[in-house]
Structure formats: C-alpha cells, structure tokens
Amino acid sequence: MKKTLYLKFILAYFIFGVFSFIIVSVFVPNMTKEHLVREKAEALYSEATLISNTYATGLYTSETDLETVKTQLDFLAVYLDSTIRIINPSGRLVLDTNVPLNVEEVVMIENFDPTATAGSYYMVNDFFGSFDSEMLSVFAPITSNYMVKGYVVIHCDMNDIQASCNSMLNISYITMVILLLLSLIILIFFTEMVYIPLRKITYATEQYAAGNMHYEFQVESDDEIGYLAVCLNYMASQIASAEDDQKKFVANVSHDFRSPLTSIRGYLEAMIDGTIPPEQHEKYLGIVLNETERLTNLTNSLLTLNNLNTKGMMLNRTDFNINQIIRNTAASFEGTCRKKTIAIELVLTGDEMYVNADKDRIQQVLYNLIDNAIKFSHHDSVIRVETSLKKNKLFVSVKDTGIGIPKEDLKLIWDRFYKSDLSRGKDKKGTGLGLSIVKEIINCHNEHINVISTEGVGSEFIFSLPLSAKNDEED
C-alpha cells in the first residue's frame, strides 16, 4: 500500500483552504458591499421620503421658509452623517446642508437627470460630477398637486460604507481562519486516530505477508480500528502458534518414524551380514514386526486425526446403546488384562442406555481410554468404567489406580505426540496421539472431556454424551 491516503487528505485540506480564500476574497466582498449599500439606501430613502412629505413640501407650498428648512435639515444631516440636498427638476440646487444658505447665488447641477437611477431610487457615482468621490445618492420626489416640484437627495459617502464593509470582511476573514484552524485540528485528530493506526496495521500486514507472524503491534483505541488491530494480532498469534505446532508436529513425526525405521534397518542389516546368527533371527524378526506394528499404528492415528480436523463436524450420529459398546470394548482387552492380572469393573446405569453420537468414534474413544488405563496400571489392579446421568447428559468415567499424571502435565496431555516423563518407560508402543484423537472426537460432538489425576495414585477421564430420546420411549 502506497502512502497516498494521507496525501489525498492533505490535498483535500489544501483545496478546501484555497476555495475558502477565493470565496471570501472574491464573492463575499461584493455581496457584503451590495448588501450594505442596499440596506443604507433603504434607510436613507425612508428619511428622504419623510423630508419630502414634510419640510420640502411645506417649502414649495410656502407653509415654511427656506431658513427653517435649512436649520432642520442641517441637524438631520449631522444625525444621518450625510449630505441632504433639495434640487429642482431643472437641476438648480435649492438647499445644501454642506454649504451656507445663499438665495442670491444660483448653483446648477449640470446634466441633472432624475431618471438616471433606471427605475431605482438610488445610484452610486459622483452624482453628475458634483462630488470628487463616489457617493450613494437617494432620490425622493417632492410632489404638490400631483406634480413633481423637486427632489430630496441624500448623499452618503461610499468610503464610510466601504469602511463598514471592510469591518464585516475582517469578521469573515477571522471566521475563515478559525474554520481552517478547526479543520487543521480535525486533520491532526485524523492523523493521530486514523492514519497512524492504519499505518501500523498496514505495516503489520506487510510483516505477516512476509512470513513474520511473531511481529506484534499495539493500537491504543477502543473503536473499530483498535478492534481490527486486536483481531490482526490474534490472527497472527494463532497462525504463529499453528506454524510452531506444525514444526513441532513434523519434528515429532520424523522422530517417531525414524526410531523404528532405524531399528528395523539395523536388525535387518545385522541379520544379512551375519552379525546376528541365524538361530536368533526369529527373535529379532519379532522385534522388527513389533516396530512395523508401531509404524502402522502411528500412520493410522495420523490419518484419523487428519480426518477429524478436516471433516470434524461430519459425524454419523445414530442412537445406540452405550452400555453394550462399553461391554464390547472392555471384552476386547481380555487377553491383555489377563497378562497383567488387571480387572475391568463396569458400573453402568441401567441395562440399556441410549445416546445420540457417532458409534464408531465413541467406541474409539473408549478403546483409547481403556488402553491407556491398562498401560499405566500396576499388576493386580482394577480399572473402573462407570456411567451416570446428570442434566440430560450421560457421563462416562474411566478410572485407574496406576502411575497418575504429574500436575504440570495435565494441560499438555491433549497435545499431539506428548508423553509425560512417567509414561515414557511404560508406553513402549504408544504414539502420543491417543488422547489427541479422544479430544478431537469429543469436541466434534460439542461435548467435553476432563481428567482428574494424582501422581502415584491414578487417573480418571470423564466425558459427556447427549442422551437419546429413545430412552423415554423405552421407559
């Protein structure tokens, strides 16, 4: 993954800043100025209309004199911070609040045209050349007897409006800067909370893809990214553990295959080259046969485990009498038990007890557990196989009084090829896969198996099975 996401985000932030600046610099000033001009024009027009209907009309109807009107308008001009004029339709200046009253002096505004406003009531210019700068000029006609006698014109300096506009623009610029700073904070948060964790996750995936499953990383976050990081770490640890198990598995398989093969080859070579005399061939051929049997058992166990791992949930579940399976399995060890003078005691619940499980697999579980119990039991001892009912489950117990299992080995006995130090001398033909197969079979049935063991006292294996509805029918 290239480092483009962060650059895209930075580019988006830069484009946002540029467009914000363009909008504030180009569009906002004109819009603000037009708004202020229109707002000021409306206010001045209201004043101009009021003057037209009062002072100016009275002036043309001789109800008041020019000096009185001039005095009133001077005060009003100061209040409005504007210039107030009364102009005849011909362009003659009747009154101007900016200059003293002089009735003898005739002042004309050249090219005066009240229609120049183009249907509006105000204009923005130098008012027909009578001002040196742009002015906002508002017109209000003075009418009498339905005739226009003159115009009240109020002028406001555009510099004042521009100053107000600039003040408002300063607010806009400050607002824009604040928004950019806020967005910069968002960018910083994005960097710390999204981008950096994402880069850690990306680098970790690159390490995992390269085969470094032991690489660990940490993301301090409680959101989805943190959860993703935890899941990736867990996935990598599981894969690393699986790889370690696979290496250990290959090493164990190689060791367990190499030992009997070495023995077989050694004995055969010794018989061929005459090191072992012909009269002892039968003895050593028996040893070779035992080693081949050990290899056969190891191969069969490996195939069984492989089938359970790949097709663990595909069980041939049927309702069968578990008591009969226990009796048959125990009977198959009659010869072995006779050699070690071991008795198998069966304590079964009822004459018949039906469970729902894979009959062949459960028989294999019983065979492995009883076989282990016999291997590690002392001569003249008793192995007890017992069943009991609890909460719609049948619990099967295989208990011996043999060498037991050390406490530190209890969690390891389910591992493939594992043999405790106490069992190595007694389990000459064992592959270390028996209990692994038992565990896999019980797990495939969604049931549990536990072990209780004390070193030097004995061991008890207990597993559960689901009861069959056939028991109710029998009742």
Side-chain angles (χ1 to χ4, degrees):
M1 175 182 174
K2 296 181 179 180
K3 299 178 180 179
T4 57
L5 179 61
Y6 193 64
L7 293 178
K8 289 178 180 179
F9 202 84
I10 293 292
L11 180 61
Y13 174 77
F14 177 75
I15 292 174
F16 171 75
V18 170
F19 273 97
S20 299
F21 178 78
I22 292 174
I23 291 173
V24 173
S25 301
V26 176
F27 297 101
V28 173
N30 292 332
M31 294 170 61
T32 303
K33 186 175 181 179
E34 290 178 3
H35 173 74
L36 290 177
V37 168
R38 188 163 52 250
E39 189 178 58
K40 187 69 173 178
E42 290 177 356
L44 293 180
Y45 181 72
S46 298
E47 295 295 336
T49 302
L50 183 61
I51 294 171
S52 172
N53 294 333
T54 55
Y55 304 115
T57 301
L59 181 64
Y60 279 94
T61 57
S62 301
E63 293 179 3
T64 184
D65 57 85
L66 188 59
E67 291 184 358
T68 303
V69 173
K70 175 71 165 60
T71 302
Q72 296 293 332
L73 293 185
D74 284 345
F75 284 112
L76 188 58
V78 173
Y79 171 75
L80 295 176
D81 192 20
S82 303
T83 299
I84 302 176
R85 287 177 169 180
I86 295 178
I87 305 173
N88 285 340
S90 62
R92 180 188 176 190
L93 185 61
V94 177
L95 184 149
D96 188 344
T97 56
N98 272 355
V99 298
L101 184 63
N102 187 354
V103 294
E104 295 180 356
E105 182 182 3
V106 177
V107 178
M108 297 293 296
I109 298 177
E110 300 295 333
N111 302 318
F112 176 73
D113 183 8
T115 63
T117 56
S120 179
Y121 53 85
Y122 69 92
M123 63 170 57
V124 178
N125 49 31
D126 59 359
F127 198 72
F128 307 105
S130 60
F131 291 97
D132 296 331
S133 61
E134 279 195 337
M135 304 290 287
L136 170 63
S137 303
V138 178
F139 290 77
I142 305 170
T143 58
S144 179
N145 297 325
Y146 304 103
M147 294 181 63
V148 177
K149 301 294 183 177
Y151 297 93
V152 175
V153 183
I154 302 179
H155 304 283
C156 178
D157 195 340
M158 284 297 297
N159 289 331
D160 296 336
I161 297 177
Q162 187 63 48
S164 300
C165 180
N166 291 338
S167 297
M168 296 187 68
L169 286 177
N170 288 336
I171 296 174
S172 299
Y173 289 131
I174 293 173
T175 303
M176 182 189 71
V177 171
I178 292 174
L179 289 175
L180 290 177
L181 290 176
L182 289 176
S183 61
L184 181 61
I185 294 174
I186 295 175
L187 178 62
I188 294 173
F189 270 99
F190 171 81
T191 303
E192 292 294 328
M193 301 178 66
V194 178
Y195 178 71
I196 292 179
L198 188 60
R199 285 302 305 162
K200 289 182 179 180
I201 293 174
T202 303
Y203 182 75
T205 56
E206 291 172 353
Q207 291 295 312
Y208 300 150
N212 182 16
M213 292 299 171
H214 293 281
Y215 177 79
E216 294 183 359
F217 69 103
Q218 189 172 6
V219 174
E220 298 293 342
S221 177
D222 295 330
D223 55 14
E224 289 82 356
I225 292 182
Y227 180 71
L228 175 61
V230 171
C231 290
L232 278 176
N233 266 325
Y234 178 74
M235 177 198 72
S237 66
Q238 292 296 104
I239 294 176
S241 177
E243 288 183 348
D244 293 340
D245 290 343
Q246 184 179 15
K247 293 177 181 178
K248 182 179 177 181
F249 175 80
V250 172
N252 288 330
V253 169
S254 300
H255 176 270
D256 278 49
F257 269 93
R258 185 171 59 247
S259 297
L261 287 174
T262 301
S263 298
I264 292 171
R265 179 176 179 176
Y267 289 133
L268 291 177
E269 287 179 347
M271 284 187 287
I272 290 173
D273 62 20
T275 303
I276 298 176
E279 58 271 15
Q280 293 185 357
H281 283 188
E282 184 177 352
K283 172 186 175 182
Y284 287 98
L285 284 175
I287 296 175
V288 169
L289 184 61
N290 287 336
E291 293 298 317
T292 58
E293 182 181 352
R294 179 180 171 188
L295 286 175
T296 301
N297 291 337
L298 177 61
T299 303
N300 291 336
S301 297
L302 288 173
L303 290 174
T304 299
L305 272 178
N306 182 66
N307 291 333
L308 288 173
N309 288 337
T310 57
K311 303 177 181 178
M313 299 305 294
M314 298 177 64
L315 299 174
N316 182 24
R317 286 179 175 270
T318 57
D319 295 331
F320 62 92
N321 182 10
I322 186 67
N323 290 351
Q324 187 61 46
I325 297 299
I326 294 174
R327 294 188 186 99
N328 293 342
T329 305
S332 67
F333 289 97
E334 182 179 350
T336 306
C337 290
R338 185 179 294 112
K339 290 179 182 178
K340 295 185 68 172
T341 61
I342 294 175
I344 299 179
E345 180 183 0
L346 304 181
V347 182
L348 307 179
T349 303
D351 293 334
E352 294 183 345
M353 182 57 60
Y354 287 89
V355 295
N356 182 262
D358 189 315
K359 179 180 178 181
D360 294 333
R361 296 302 185 191
I362 297 304
Q363 187 169 13
Q364 187 174 9
V365 168
L366 289 166
Y367 184 91
N368 288 356
L369 292 178
I370 296 175
D371 183 50
N372 270 1
I374 294 173
K375 285 178 184 178
F376 304 122
S377 290
H378 305 295
H379 285 75
D380 301 318
S381 61
V382 177
I383 296 172
R384 183 185 179 93
V385 181
E386 183 178 359
T387 62
S388 59
L389 293 174
K390 291 181 182 178
K391 297 182 179 180
N392 295 323
K393 295 281 187 181
L394 178 74
F395 290 85
V396 181
S397 165
V398 179
K399 185 177 182 180
D400 64 65
T401 55
I403 62 176
I405 304 170
K407 184 177 181 181
E408 61 273 14
D409 292 340
L410 285 177
K411 292 183 178 180
L412 303 175
I413 61 174
W414 311 109
D415 295 345
R416 298 177 182 185
F417 298 101
Y418 182 79
K419 293 183 182 181
S420 68
D421 293 335
L422 293 178
S423 69
R424 292 187 183 275
K426 294 181 175 290
D427 190 11
K428 299 294 185 181
K429 297 183 180 180
T431 62
L433 295 173
L435 290 180
S436 297
I437 293 174
V438 168
K439 183 75 170 178
E440 291 289 344
I441 292 174
I442 297 301
N443 286 344
C444 287
H445 284 81
N446 294 322
E447 296 296 332
H448 304 281
I449 182 168
N450 297 309
V451 59
I452 302 171
S453 184
T454 303
E455 186 176 347
V457 176
S459 303
E460 181 180 12
F461 289 85
I462 306 169
F463 65 91
S464 61
L465 289 174
L467 288 173
S468 168
K470 194 172 182 179
N471 294 310
D472 299 331
E473 295 175 4
E474 294 291 334
D475 293 342

